[in-house]
PDB file of all heavy atoms in Angstrom:
ATOM      1  N   SER A 278     307.569  83.415 216.215  1.00 95.00           N
ATOM      2  CA  SER A 278     306.528  83.807 217.158  1.00 95.00           C
ATOM      3  C   SER A 278     307.199  84.571 218.280  1.00 95.00           C
ATOM      4  O   SER A 278     308.362  84.312 218.617  1.00 95.00           O
ATOM      5  CB  SER A 278     305.812  82.577 217.714  1.00 95.00           C
ATOM      6  OG  SER A 278     304.674  82.941 218.454  1.00 95.00           O
ATOM      7  N   ARG A 279     306.477  85.502 218.878  1.00 93.00           N
ATOM      8  CA  ARG A 279     307.042  86.267 219.985  1.00 93.00           C
ATOM      9  C   ARG A 279     306.983  85.448 221.269  1.00 93.00           C
ATOM     10  O   ARG A 279     305.984  84.807 221.569  1.00 93.00           O
ATOM     11  CB  ARG A 279     306.297  87.590 220.168  1.00 93.00           C
ATOM     12  CG  ARG A 279     306.550  88.569 219.023  1.00 93.00           C
ATOM     13  CD  ARG A 279     306.016  89.949 219.328  1.00 93.00           C
ATOM     14  NE  ARG A 279     306.759  90.596 220.415  1.00 93.00           N
ATOM     15  CZ  ARG A 279     307.923  91.195 220.248  1.00 93.00           C
ATOM     16  NH1 ARG A 279     308.501  91.233 219.056  1.00 93.00           N
ATOM     17  NH2 ARG A 279     308.525  91.776 221.269  1.00 93.00           N
ATOM     18  N   PHE A 280     308.078  85.500 222.038  1.00 94.00           N
ATOM     19  CA  PHE A 280     308.177  84.762 223.294  1.00 94.00           C
ATOM     20  C   PHE A 280     309.117  85.547 224.200  1.00 94.00           C
ATOM     21  O   PHE A 280     310.238  85.883 223.803  1.00 94.00           O
ATOM     22  CB  PHE A 280     308.721  83.354 223.055  1.00 94.00           C
ATOM     23  CG  PHE A 280     308.968  82.569 224.314  1.00 94.00           C
ATOM     24  CD1 PHE A 280     307.936  81.881 224.923  1.00 94.00           C
ATOM     25  CD2 PHE A 280     310.229  82.524 224.902  1.00 94.00           C
ATOM     26  CE1 PHE A 280     308.151  81.156 226.091  1.00 94.00           C
ATOM     27  CE2 PHE A 280     310.453  81.806 226.060  1.00 94.00           C
ATOM     28  CZ  PHE A 280     309.408  81.123 226.660  1.00 94.00           C
ATOM     29  N   GLY A 281     308.640  85.846 225.413  1.00 90.00           N
ATOM     30  CA  GLY A 281     309.474  86.599 226.333  1.00 90.00           C
ATOM     31  C   GLY A 281     309.852  87.964 225.802  1.00 90.00           C
ATOM     32  O   GLY A 281     310.931  88.470 226.101  1.00 90.00           O
ATOM     33  N   GLY A 282     308.969  88.562 224.973  1.00 88.00           N
ATOM     34  CA  GLY A 282     309.214  89.903 224.460  1.00 88.00           C
ATOM     35  C   GLY A 282     310.060  89.967 223.215  1.00 88.00           C
ATOM     36  O   GLY A 282     310.381  91.066 222.741  1.00 88.00           O
ATOM     37  N   ALA A 283     310.449  88.825 222.646  1.00 91.00           N
ATOM     38  CA  ALA A 283     311.303  88.828 221.459  1.00 91.00           C
ATOM     39  C   ALA A 283     310.817  87.774 220.469  1.00 91.00           C
ATOM     40  O   ALA A 283     310.223  86.769 220.850  1.00 91.00           O
ATOM     41  CB  ALA A 283     312.753  88.557 221.844  1.00 91.00           C
ATOM     42  N   ALA A 284     311.078  88.029 219.186  1.00 93.00           N
ATOM     43  CA  ALA A 284     310.722  87.063 218.145  1.00 93.00           C
ATOM     44  C   ALA A 284     311.697  85.896 218.175  1.00 93.00           C
ATOM     45  O   ALA A 284     312.910  86.091 218.282  1.00 93.00           O
ATOM     46  CB  ALA A 284     310.739  87.733 216.780  1.00 93.00           C
ATOM     47  N   GLN A 285     311.144  84.697 218.098  1.00 95.00           N
ATOM     48  CA  GLN A 285     311.966  83.489 218.072  1.00 95.00           C
ATOM     49  C   GLN A 285     311.405  82.525 217.033  1.00 95.00           C
ATOM     50  O   GLN A 285     310.205  82.541 216.750  1.00 95.00           O
ATOM     51  CB  GLN A 285     311.978  82.793 219.439  1.00 95.00           C
ATOM     52  CG  GLN A 285     312.597  83.593 220.560  1.00 95.00           C
ATOM     53  CD  GLN A 285     312.626  82.801 221.866  1.00 95.00           C
ATOM     54  OE1 GLN A 285     312.282  81.619 221.903  1.00 95.00           O
ATOM     55  NE2 GLN A 285     313.043  83.453 222.936  1.00 95.00           N
ATOM     56  N   TYR A 286     312.272  81.682 216.521  1.00 97.00           N
ATOM     57  CA  TYR A 286     311.833  80.636 215.593  1.00 97.00           C
ATOM     58  C   TYR A 286     311.554  79.371 216.403  1.00 97.00           C
ATOM     59  O   TYR A 286     312.425  78.890 217.134  1.00 97.00           O
ATOM     60  CB  TYR A 286     312.901  80.359 214.542  1.00 97.00           C
ATOM     61  CG  TYR A 286     312.456  79.362 213.493  1.00 97.00           C
ATOM     62  CD1 TYR A 286     311.630  79.752 212.453  1.00 97.00           C
ATOM     63  CD2 TYR A 286     312.850  78.028 213.576  1.00 97.00           C
ATOM     64  CE1 TYR A 286     311.204  78.839 211.488  1.00 97.00           C
ATOM     65  CE2 TYR A 286     312.438  77.105 212.624  1.00 97.00           C
ATOM     66  CZ  TYR A 286     311.612  77.523 211.585  1.00 97.00           C
ATOM     67  OH  TYR A 286     311.199  76.608 210.641  1.00 97.00           O
ATOM     68  N   TRP A 287     310.335  78.874 216.273  1.00 98.00           N
ATOM     69  CA  TRP A 287     309.929  77.684 217.029  1.00 98.00           C
ATOM     70  C   TRP A 287     309.753  76.498 216.096  1.00 98.00           C
ATOM     71  O   TRP A 287     309.014  76.553 215.113  1.00 98.00           O
ATOM     72  CB  TRP A 287     308.624  77.949 217.777  1.00 98.00           C
ATOM     73  CG  TRP A 287     308.836  78.749 219.024  1.00 98.00           C
ATOM     74  CD1 TRP A 287     309.025  80.097 219.117  1.00 98.00           C
ATOM     75  CD2 TRP A 287     308.913  78.243 220.363  1.00 98.00           C
ATOM     76  NE1 TRP A 287     309.209  80.466 220.428  1.00 98.00           N
ATOM     77  CE2 TRP A 287     309.140  79.354 221.217  1.00 98.00           C
ATOM     78  CE3 TRP A 287     308.808  76.969 220.919  1.00 98.00           C
ATOM     79  CZ2 TRP A 287     309.264  79.212 222.598  1.00 98.00           C
ATOM     80  CZ3 TRP A 287     308.918  76.824 222.297  1.00 98.00           C
ATOM     81  CH2 TRP A 287     309.149  77.930 223.113  1.00 98.00           C
TER      82      TRP A 287
END
Side-chain angles (χ1 to χ4, degrees):
S278 189
R279 291 190 68 80
F280 175 84
Q285 296 183 6
Y286 184 79
W287 282 79

